Amino acid sequence: MSLNKLRNIGIAAHIDAGKTTVTERILFFTGTNRKTGETHDGAATMDFMKQEQERGITIASAAITCKWDEHQINLIDTPGHVDFTIEVERSLRVIDGMVAVFCAVGGVEPQSETVWNQADRYRVPRIAFINKMDRTGANFEEAVNQMNKYLDANAVPLQIPMGAEDNFIGTIDIVNKRAYTFENNLRNEIEIPSEYIEPVNTARNNLIEKLADFNDEIMEYYFAAKEISSEMLMNACRQATIKLLITPVFCGAAYRNIGIQLLLDSVVKYLPSPIDVGVVVGHDMNDTEKTHTRNPSNNESFSALAFKLINDPYVGQQTFIRIFSGKLTNGMQIYNSSKLKYERVGRIFRIKAKEREEIHEAGAGEIVALVGMKFTKTGDTLCDPENQLLLESIHIPVSVIELKIQTVKQKDKEKLGEALAKLVNEDPSFKARFDEETEETVISGMGELHLEIIVDRLKDEFKLDVEVGEPSVAFRETITEIVESDYKHSKQTGGKGQFAHTIIRMEPNSGNGYEYVNLIKGGNIPNEYIPSVDKGVRKIMDRGILAGFPVVDVKVVLIDGTYHNVDSSDMAFQICAQECFKQGFRKAKPVLLEPVMKIEVNTPDEYIGDIVGNLNRRRGKIESMRRYRKGSQKIIGLVPLMEMFGYSTQLRNMSSGRANYSMEFYKYMLLPNSVQEIVLKNLEAKKQNK
Ligand SMILES: Nc1nc2c(ncn2[C@@H]2O[C@H](COP(=O)(O)OP(=O)(O)OP(=O)(O)O)[C@@H](O)[C@H]2O)c(=O)[nH]1
Ligand SMILES: [Mg+2]
């Protein structure tokens, strides 16, 4: 198949917008499935995990392949809940185009903005589908306006709906000026009803005016008042979409099978093939300023990005990759340029929801799963060993909630460790650590639902009987002053002794993470031990000092030190660096950082006073308010996560169940002194009680 006829697309949107329902309909109308399954019945092909079916929501992204109008469409359905945002992140990194689904009633919801920003991050061209046109309150124009106002989407309708709510019967394609109704799973072309002739002409003129901004030919025809053919309009739209200049908007009601065939036509017409996306750019292995490019062709040297790892009970670990250039065959040796390791390609699979087909080679533009990768993790680049490069990786969201977990039976302890390691491997937004001091296992993730699903999987998939504590906030530790720390580690316990001596300067490094700088030249500490100091510091930073939370945002400068010819070793320098860091940390006015969330509350006007007052009491700061729908407002603000437990119940009570909210991580900020004292005291008391 020619690459021009391939579309790698993702479907992303706010929770419940209807992504999976759209996907199910696509499977039905392309003849891939003979029946449609509903998400709320737990019967959707794409939501095949047990946890998805029980809850009627999507948790993991799933891929499917289908055929439409002689094109192959590889489609990834993603979850809308913010707790599973890593699934959107990794999908967007490897697709060529996106269908953004909006609910015709809700319009631009908080997560619509989140996924929009994610798509911006990876420069993914998109089209929009305004779904649920059949629902009470559906408003197509308002949804388009909101896309322009809040997303800066440059949204242009290429369709207008005929009717709305109960009377929604079909759509009119304004490029071709054709009207369709949908009945008994068929689309029927009808004459444009007279009352729509005027609106169709206006919409078509608007489209032409918009395209004239980007397209010289259209501009010329427009000013010369020459007839612009549908073909010309379509091509101009396609180009503008691929260049991210406009977002074409379509509409329908997936649940009622309205508009899906036209959406499929639009995917083929307006979203890019791998060829349209063009060359992929990667960095040189030695010089980050230098770049390399690869054409999307089988004749180029191989380059691919690993974006997902899944543990399959039958074939073992599957590593999903997107091939950007070159060909992959069984047994081939490839290079992981992120981990600096060679890998051998074992088996290659093409994946369709939960089914797989074994293939023996795959080429540019394809998305396949590999079995047999040993070192490769999410976000790693795989390439031709002779032609190396590093591709842009995947942004990993921060885990802000944690939970203590233990097995009911002592003998299961090891099994828990293994199970957690597997889950961490699959999901970079999930973390697990074992605190040697307290002998506790702590898991952390994006939110309460994320951890709930993990615990469920431990019980279900790994057959582990586990107990968990209450969810709590994952604080971080950092310093606020510059200090120097000088420590000598010297031990003489019979046989070989241990000796290491380091002098470091520690500086606050707000927002810039951990940095390690070595100033020693001339061998006061031999070169081979310079990395040992770094290693030791990293270990103690992971473990935390003030209250067992990871230390972040510290710059460590190794100034000086001494060593011993016989007694110095890698281990001695690691231990020395840990103690040296610990002592310095205590002197450097250490503080806790707390995760602060961006919150959006949608509420009818009458509850605004109560809701704002309540947020203020939770140490929240209101940033803005804007009209959401008639008679309701959207309140946007920042609020510390630790103040938000139990919020959903309280919000429900305050608003008789009529307000809703969503929040996502914003950034780590200093915990106010008075609060820090209380937090530390509580943590200490918990430890004593154990
Ligand atoms: N009235 C109406 N309901 C719809 C339509 N499309 C989807 N729904 C319903 O909306 C609910 C959510 O649909 P899903 O397809 O699961 O939504 P989703 O976007 O995949 O949700 P997440 O994956 O959990 O983010 C289900 O009950 C669907 O039946 C539509 O066009 N009209
Ligand atoms: Mg879904």
Side-chain angles (χ1 to χ4, degrees):
M1 189 204 47
S2 127
L3 274 189
N4 279 321
K5 303 222 157 182
L6 178 63
R7 298 288 178 274
N8 287 314
I9 63 162
I11 300 204
H14 182 262
I15 189 160
D16 260 1
K19 298 171 289 294
T20 306
T21 308
V22 168
T23 311
E24 292 296 317
R25 286 345 186 241
I26 286 179
L27 294 180
F28 176 70
F29 286 109
T30 54
T32 319
N33 274 2
R34 262 186 290 153
K35 277 198 318 213
T36 53
E38 302 305 340
T39 56
H40 48 246
D41 301 330
T45 309
M46 304 305 278
D47 287 349
F48 57 82
M49 271 170 74
K50 175 173 158 281
Q51 289 78 9
E52 297 182 312
Q53 293 172 350
E54 284 167 359
R55 292 170 179 79
I57 59 165
T58 306
I59 293 168
S61 51
I64 190 85
T65 297
C66 56
K67 288 233 151 64
W68 185 255
D69 191 20
E70 292 171 12
H71 286 69
Q72 181 184 327
I73 302 177
N74 295 330
L75 189 156
I76 301 180
D77 175 30
T78 65
H81 196 288
V82 269
D83 279 17
F84 312 112
T85 191
I86 179 70
E87 294 295 304
V88 182
E89 202 69 47
R90 57 166 130 231
S91 306
L92 288 177
R93 174 64 186 86
V94 297
I95 55 173
D96 298 322
M98 163 173 142
V99 177
V101 179
F102 295 85
C103 166
V105 183
V108 173
E109 305 261 12
Q111 271 110 45
S112 326
E113 294 193 43
T114 310
V115 297
W116 201 265
N117 294 338
Q118 286 172 304
D120 279 342
R121 171 157 42 231
Y122 301 114
R123 298 165 301 280
V124 180
R126 57 215 95 143
I127 61 177
F129 183 69
I130 314 262
N131 189 33
K132 303 198 185 184
M133 280 302 300
D134 60 319
R135 271 186 61 193
T136 312
N139 189 335
F140 179 73
E141 289 80 23
E142 178 56 23
V144 176
N145 287 343
Q146 290 188 5
M147 283 180 67
N148 284 328
K149 200 158 152 200
Y150 303 131
L151 304 178
D152 227 353
N154 214 357
V156 264
L158 297 198
Q159 282 179 354
I160 52 176
M162 286 189 283
E165 306 182 337
D166 276 348
N167 299 319
F168 178 58
I169 52 160
T171 61
I172 306 174
D173 168 352
I174 61 167
V175 174
N176 294 300
K177 288 200 181 182
R178 285 187 175 156
Y180 299 92
T181 57
F182 297 81
E183 268 165 308
N184 304 326
N185 300 337
L186 291 173
R187 64 169 148 177
N188 311 304
E189 190 175 342
I190 57 165
E191 206 160 303
I192 298 180
S194 57
E195 70 267 35
Y196 287 106
I197 292 180
E198 186 62 38
V200 166
N201 287 335
T202 312
R204 202 167 192 272
N205 283 338
N206 285 344
L207 173 65
I208 291 172
E209 275 174 27
K210 180 139 288 180
L211 289 171
D213 285 348
F214 311 116
N215 188 301
D216 292 344
E217 198 186 8
I218 300 269
M219 166 103 95
E220 206 187 300
Y221 271 58
Y222 175 65
F223 280 114
K226 280 202 261 177
E227 170 76 26
I228 298 176
S229 70
S230 307
E231 190 73 22
M232 257 176 83
L233 259 190
M234 231 170 62
N235 285 335
C237 271
R238 175 175 181 75
Q239 279 164 23
T241 309
I242 293 172
K243 289 190 190 139
L244 283 92
L245 298 170
I246 60 164
T247 311
V249 187
F250 307 91
C251 64
Y255 188 57
R256 302 198 188 275
N257 295 335
I258 301 185
I260 300 299
Q261 297 98 323
L262 297 177
L263 178 66
L264 277 162
D265 286 348
S266 311
V267 165
V268 167
K269 275 190 212 157
Y270 301 111
L271 287 177
S273 74
I275 304 278
D276 298 310
V277 174
V279 295
V280 44
V281 181
H283 285 286
D284 187 79
M285 296 290 292
N286 304 311
D287 179 357
T288 45
E289 302 282 297
K290 211 168 129 193
T291 56
H292 297 286
T293 56
R294 300 275 182 272
N295 281 309
S297 151
N298 285 350
N299 301 326
E300 287 265 334
S301 56
F302 175 73
S303 71
L305 192 93
F307 66 97
K308 191 170 171 129
L309 269 62
I310 288 185
N311 200 59
D312 183 281
Y314 301 105
V315 294
Q317 182 175 284
Q318 300 179 349
T319 308
F320 284 74
I321 63 165
R322 156 80 198 249
I323 305 175
F324 287 100
S325 62
K327 242 165 77 175
L328 193 68
T329 48
N330 285 131
M332 191 169 135
Q333 191 184 50
I334 51 179
Y335 188 64
N336 180 328
S337 49
S338 310
K339 296 282 173 345
L340 310 181
K341 298 267 191 198
Y342 289 92
E343 293 267 30
R344 193 161 294 280
V345 178
R347 303 166 76 186
I348 311 174
F349 292 101
R350 209 171 267 144
I351 306 292
K352 300 174 178 173
K354 62 176 171 190
E355 284 156 34
R356 69 179 89 80
E357 171 200 351
E358 182 151 11
I359 51 177
H360 300 289
E361 59 172 52
E366 286 197 76
I367 292 174
V368 292
L370 305 181
V371 173
M373 295 293 105
K374 291 203 174 71
F375 311 102
T376 303
K377 297 271 182 294
T378 301
D380 286 358
T381 301
L382 294 170
C383 60
D384 178 353
E386 303 299 319
N387 281 301
Q388 302 179 2
L389 84 175
L390 257 178
L391 300 173
E392 179 186 348
S393 190
I394 292 170
H395 171 83
I396 308 293
V398 186
S399 20
V400 285
I401 288 236
E402 54 180 45
L403 204 60
K404 294 207 171 76
I405 183 164
Q406 62 184 43
T407 54
V408 175
K409 297 184 211 106
Q410 185 67 17
K411 70 173 176 41
D412 280 346
K413 235 175 154 177
E414 203 172 308
K415 224 172 118 193
L416 175 66
E418 287 164 14
L420 289 175
K422 279 189 180 152
L423 292 172
V424 166
N425 214 6
E426 281 184 11
D427 179 354
S429 65
F430 170 65
K431 306 237 154 40
R433 67 190 153 92
F434 180 70
D435 190 325
E436 279 162 30
E437 221 171 286
T438 57
E439 297 220 324
E440 279 172 336
T441 303
V442 181
I443 58 175
S444 56
M446 303 293 298
E448 291 182 60
L449 181 62
H450 187 197
L451 294 182
E452 184 189 312
I453 301 288
I454 296 269
V455 171
D456 219 59
R457 287 184 63 190
L458 285 172
K459 291 181 180 164
D460 212 69
E461 261 166 63
F462 297 91
K463 307 277 176 273
L464 277 164
D465 208 358
V466 290
E467 280 171 348
V468 295
E470 288 294 315
S472 61
V473 165
F475 293 100
R476 297 281 186 268
E477 303 180 3
T478 196
I479 56 171
T480 54
E481 276 182 10
I482 302 179
V483 293
E484 258 186 44
S485 180
D486 181 332
Y487 184 75
K488 202 177 277 174
H489 172 65
S490 165
K491 239 183 189 167
Q492 213 64 53
T493 41
K496 191 170 176 282
Q498 285 185 23
F499 182 88
H501 174 205
T502 54
I503 304 174
I504 60 173
R505 187 170 68 238
M506 297 166 59
E507 302 171 14
N509 202 25
S510 179
N512 292 318
Y514 166 64
E515 237 177 286
Y516 175 62
V517 180
N518 168 40
L519 292 185
I520 296 184
K521 298 215 171 65
N524 280 0
I525 295 179
N527 277 345
E528 57 182 307
Y529 300 137
I530 304 288
S532 314
V533 175
D534 180 28
K535 244 196 253 169
V537 168
R538 281 177 197 268
K539 273 190 192 159
I540 187 79
M541 283 180 70
D542 275 352
R543 224 179 294 152
I545 297 155
L546 207 52
F549 296 105
V551 177
V552 296
D553 293 352
V554 178
K555 182 167 166 182
V556 172
V557 186
L558 179 58
I559 310 172
D560 207 352
T562 53
Y563 75 107
H564 184 276
N565 260 340
V566 181
D567 292 347
S568 283
S569 64
D570 169 44
M571 204 27 96
F573 269 99
Q574 283 196 41
I575 296 172
C576 176
Q578 291 190 24
E579 195 52 38
C580 190
F581 184 90
K582 208 185 215 173
Q583 293 189 358
F585 187 87
R586 295 220 165 92
K587 284 191 293 184
K589 293 245 164 70
V591 289
L592 287 182
L593 298 171
E594 62 172 341
V596 172
M597 313 298 281
K598 184 172 178 201
I599 185 169
E600 301 203 12
V601 186
N602 297 322
T603 172
D605 290 342
E606 62 249 57
Y607 309 115
I608 290 175
D610 286 353
I611 291 174
V612 168
N614 181 269
L615 281 174
N616 284 334
R617 281 193 295 283
R618 292 174 185 265
R619 291 197 283 126
K621 283 194 192 70
I622 308 300
E623 294 205 311
S624 68
M625 264 193 241
R626 65 191 194 204
R627 185 138 297 283
Y628 173 56
R629 255 176 245 163
K630 208 166 157 240
S632 12
Q633 296 276 340
K634 188 190 280 281
I635 306 169
I636 301 171
L638 299 178
V639 62
L641 178 62
M642 67 173 286
E643 307 289 345
M644 293 308 284
F645 290 100
Y647 187 65
S648 46
T649 317
Q650 196 167 31
L651 183 68
R652 210 177 307 130
N653 293 342
M654 275 187 295
S655 68
S656 311
R658 291 172 60 205
N660 61 55
Y661 81 106
S662 83
M663 57 182 190
E664 64 176 311
F665 175 69
Y666 174 63
K667 69 175 184 188
Y668 271 98
M669 291 168 95
L670 276 186
L671 191 63
N673 258 333
S674 52
V675 186
Q676 173 161 324
E677 262 168 46
I678 302 169
V679 169
L680 287 175
K681 226 190 244 159
N682 287 346
L683 286 168
E684 194 51 38
K686 259 193 206 158
K687 244 191 202 162
Q688 302 294 337
N689 280 341
K690 266 196 53 146

